[in-house]
């Protein structure tokens, strides 16, 4: 009887690689979208933009500095960057935008336990609040009314409440399905101005301008139904992929265990030299490792295909309903919009 050399380490390595593939694939496919977005941020670019923004601020070139600081904050959010951005907007006279950013920085500083930044933010908040200009939107009851200021939706809960807004010209627009669009331009003063806009009841649109309900797509299925079909198929394929991935993981564990047992069994592989029976055990372990590798590859591919189908299927009916509800003003009254020339936001009124 001629013993053969032990090949357990090779089978063991294959099994370990298979298990590592399971972990990496699961982490990549199941990680939340926010983590991927965070990874996309470039800290080097964020720091470069911050330093350039600070240099421009020192040169009093605030109009050029603010966009750089805003992009730096988007790439890598930080309380220090936010405070500099608030200072920049304050220097440009964007009092509401700066006030909201100082409020946000105050809250962050409290969480971080940074008393110096907290005091700095509070000092500027106290100085800005008496100077804030506001608009108050009052509207008569038009079903499904949607109001925008400078293109940003205003929730129904904010109607009748003075909203902090940056000085300057602002476009107010009111729309509703089946009604004509109403709009006006309001000029807000630099300091402690209050403009009240009365939005009248909208007039029904002429019949030819009312959009007809969209019927089913050719073949009897609507666009939403097609999206639901893709979503369902994505979940089915992804579920099958997860199952195959699990089978691959199980075979990888079995391969690792069988190869390890054969290596340690002196009756099968004495002195690292395997008998024919030991060789048979090693071959079986390598077969399981191969099945594991194939299963993991197929499982990862199916999970990826399922994820693509779900992501490209568009919003589900439930998400559409939630979005429609949000557009019709189903927002809690604690959220107060802030309107600025470069975008909208929310401010937190009250004490932190």
């Amino acid at each position: 009887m001629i013993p053969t050399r032990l090949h357990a380490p090779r089978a063991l390595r294959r099994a370990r690689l298979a298990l590592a593939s399971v972990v990496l694939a699961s982490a990549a496919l199941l990680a939340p979208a926010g983590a991927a977005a965070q990874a996309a941020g470039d800290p080097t670019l964020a720091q470069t933009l911050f330093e350039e923004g600070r240099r421009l601020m020192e040169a009093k070139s605030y109009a050029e500095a603010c966009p750089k600081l805003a992009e730096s904050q988007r790439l890598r959010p930080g309380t220090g960057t936010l405070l500099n951005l608030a200072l920049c907007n304050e220097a440009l006279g964007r009092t509401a935008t700066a006030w909201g950013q100082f409020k946000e920085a105050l809250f962050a500083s409290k969480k971080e336990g940074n008393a110096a930044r907290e005091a700095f933010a509070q000092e500027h908040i106290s100085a800005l609040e008496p100077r804030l200009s506001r608009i108050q939107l009052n509207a008569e009851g038009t079903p499904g009314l949607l109001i925008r200021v400078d293109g940003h939706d205003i929730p129904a809960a904010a109607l009748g409440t003075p909203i902090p807004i940056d000085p300057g010209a602002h476009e107010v627009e009111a729309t509703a399905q089946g009604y004509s669009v109403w709009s006006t331009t309001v000029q807000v003063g630099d300091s402690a101005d209050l403009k009240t806009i009365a939005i009248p009841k909208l007039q029904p649109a002429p019949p030819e301008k009312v959009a007809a309900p969209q019927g089913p797509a050719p073949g009897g299925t609507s666009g939403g139904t097609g999206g639901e079909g893709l979503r369902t198929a994505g979940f089915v394929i992804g579920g099958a992929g997860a199952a195959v991935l699990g089978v691959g993981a199980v075979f990888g564990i079995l391969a690792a265990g069988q190869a390890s047992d054969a290596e340690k069994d002196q009756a099968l592989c004495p002195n690292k030299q395997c008998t024919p029976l030991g060789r048979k055990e090693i071959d079986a372990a390598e077969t399981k490792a191969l099945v594991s590798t194939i299963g993991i590859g197929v499982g990862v591919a199916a999970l990826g295909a399922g994820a693509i189908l779900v992501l490209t299927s568009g919003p589900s009916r439930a998400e559409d309903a939630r979005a429609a509800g949000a557009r019709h003003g189903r927002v809690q009254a604690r959220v107060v919009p802030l309107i600025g020339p470069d975008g909208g936001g929310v401010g937190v009124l009250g004490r932190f």
Side-chain angles (χ1 to χ4, degrees):
M1 181 182 298
I2 302 174
T4 58
R5 286 194 61 82
L6 176 68
H7 291 281
R10 182 173 61 182
L12 200 57
R13 283 195 300 271
R14 287 184 181 178
R16 288 172 178 167
L17 284 173
L19 291 175
S21 298
V22 172
V23 175
L24 292 174
S26 301
L29 291 171
L30 302 180
Q38 183 69 22
D42 186 341
T44 302
L45 179 57
Q47 182 64 28
T48 301
L49 290 171
F50 173 78
E51 292 174 358
E52 179 65 7
R54 284 289 307 154
R55 186 190 67 79
L56 289 167
M57 282 183 65
E58 290 172 2
K60 301 189 183 305
S61 300
Y62 300 110
E64 298 175 43
C66 288
K68 295 184 185 297
L69 291 170
E71 181 63 12
S72 176
Q73 176 69 5
R74 187 191 70 82
L75 289 171
R76 194 178 185 184
T79 308
T81 306
L82 183 60
L83 283 169
N84 277 278
L85 180 58
L87 283 171
C88 189
N89 281 309
E90 182 181 15
L92 282 177
R94 298 171 180 170
T95 50
T97 298
W99 177 77
Q101 289 167 346
F102 279 123
K103 281 276 190 179
E104 186 180 348
L106 175 67
F107 180 68
S109 299
K110 282 182 177 289
K111 287 181 65 177
E112 295 165 2
N114 193 321
R117 284 179 174 176
E118 181 184 339
F120 182 82
Q122 184 59 64
E123 178 185 352
H124 283 266
I125 290 168
S126 300
L128 283 169
E129 280 180 343
R131 298 165 47 201
L132 286 177
S133 292
R134 293 176 167 86
I135 60 169
Q136 180 174 322
L137 303 170
N138 300 324
E140 297 186 23
T142 300
L145 184 66
L146 177 63
I147 300 173
R148 295 187 180 93
V149 176
D150 299 330
H152 303 286
D153 291 353
I154 302 299
L159 298 181
T161 300
I163 304 170
I165 193 168
D166 288 336
H170 299 277
E171 184 75 17
V172 180
E173 181 183 88
T175 62
Q177 179 66 31
Y179 291 85
S180 297
V181 177
W182 178 90
S183 65
T184 189
T185 300
V186 58
Q187 185 72 33
V188 178
D190 290 341
S191 181
D193 190 16
L194 173 62
K195 289 291 190 297
T196 301
I197 298 99
I199 301 171
K201 187 173 183 178
L202 301 186
Q203 298 299 314
E208 65 273 10
K209 293 187 178 180
V210 177
Q214 188 172 3
T221 59
S222 66
T225 303
E228 291 291 335
L230 286 176
R231 182 181 294 270
T232 301
F235 282 123
V236 170
I237 293 173
V244 175
L245 195 62
V247 171
V250 170
F251 269 89
I253 294 170
L254 291 175
Q258 190 170 9
S260 178
D261 290 344
E263 180 183 5
K264 296 175 182 177
D265 194 331
Q266 292 299 316
L268 295 176
C269 298
N271 300 322
K272 305 296 184 180
Q273 300 292 322
C274 288
T275 65
L277 184 57
R279 179 63 217 172
K280 185 176 180 180
E281 288 292 312
I282 298 302
D283 290 343
E286 290 186 345
T287 300
K288 288 184 177 67
L290 179 60
V291 171
S292 173
T293 302
I294 294 172
I296 289 168
V298 173
V300 169
L303 275 172
I308 291 172
L309 286 175
V310 171
L311 292 173
T312 56
S313 64
S316 65
R317 292 175 183 174
E319 290 168 341
D320 284 339
R322 285 195 296 271
R327 286 194 298 270
H328 285 79
R330 296 174 187 171
V331 180
Q332 295 202 8
R334 294 178 183 175
V335 177
V336 178
L338 298 176
I339 309 299
D342 293 330
V346 294
V348 183
L349 294 176
R351 296 181 180 177
F352 291 92

